[in-house]
Amino acid sequence: SVPGDSLFAIKKMAEDSQAVFVGTGYKPLRNLEIANKRLDDLTKIAQNNDVEKLAPALVEYNETVSKAAKTLAQAGSMEEVSLEIKKLQEKEDTVRSLGIELDNNKDLNNAIGEIVTREIEVLKQGELSEDQQKVLTEAENDLTAGNYSLALEKILTIGK
């Protein structure tokens, strides 16, 4: 079922009840996974041309992304979060290619930007090889340009 269907409320309740069993460090990841599911719903709606379900699906997606953004700082594994954000952005591109306009996720972008800023400051205090310093500089440039998820990916490669 997708937003706008009568059974969607049950699906959402099941998702919410499962959240009780998710540890604090995994909540951001879980919220991003649910946001990805809402994008899958949007894709189904667009492919089936269910115009009347589009508005409820967009509302659900935006609410889920906002929820994910609020919990992002609590993430345990930035690597997993980064992968989930990348999936989210790819699915957003797919949804947009189907003619659906999505809001710019300012809350999520700001949360990612804060994490990247924090991680850059931590990395600057440690010793880095020349290659790691180069990647850090690229990440800083991406941060300045507003490419937060790309900056996060680069930062994660430094730690490897």
Side-chain angles (χ1 to χ4, degrees), residues 90-132:
E90 288 169 358
K91 286 184 181 182
E92 281 183 345
D93 291 342
T94 300
V95 169
R96 285 186 178 104
S97 74
L98 295 170
I100 298 174
E101 276 300 314
L102 298 173
D103 290 340
N104 186 3
N105 299 320
K106 290 179 185 174
D107 293 340
L108 183 60
N109 286 333
N110 289 339
I112 296 168
E114 289 173 20
I115 290 169
V116 169
T117 301
R118 184 183 69 217
E119 293 298 317
I120 285 173
E121 292 306 314
V122 169
L123 287 169
K124 282 182 173 180
Q125 294 174 9
E127 288 193 31
L128 299 174
S129 69
E130 189 176 317
D131 288 340
Q132 289 173 323

Side-chain angles (χ1 to χ4, degrees), residues 55-72:
L58 286 169
V59 168
E60 286 293 331
Y61 173 67
N62 289 328
E63 287 175 1
T64 306
V65 169
S66 288
K67 188 175 180 181
K70 289 176 186 168
T71 60
L72 200 57

Side-chain angles (χ1 to χ4, degrees), residues 145-160:
N147 298 324
Y148 304 132
S149 60
L150 185 58
L152 180 59
E153 286 179 39
K154 288 179 180 171
I155 286 171
L156 292 173
T157 65
I158 292 173
K160 290 183 177 178

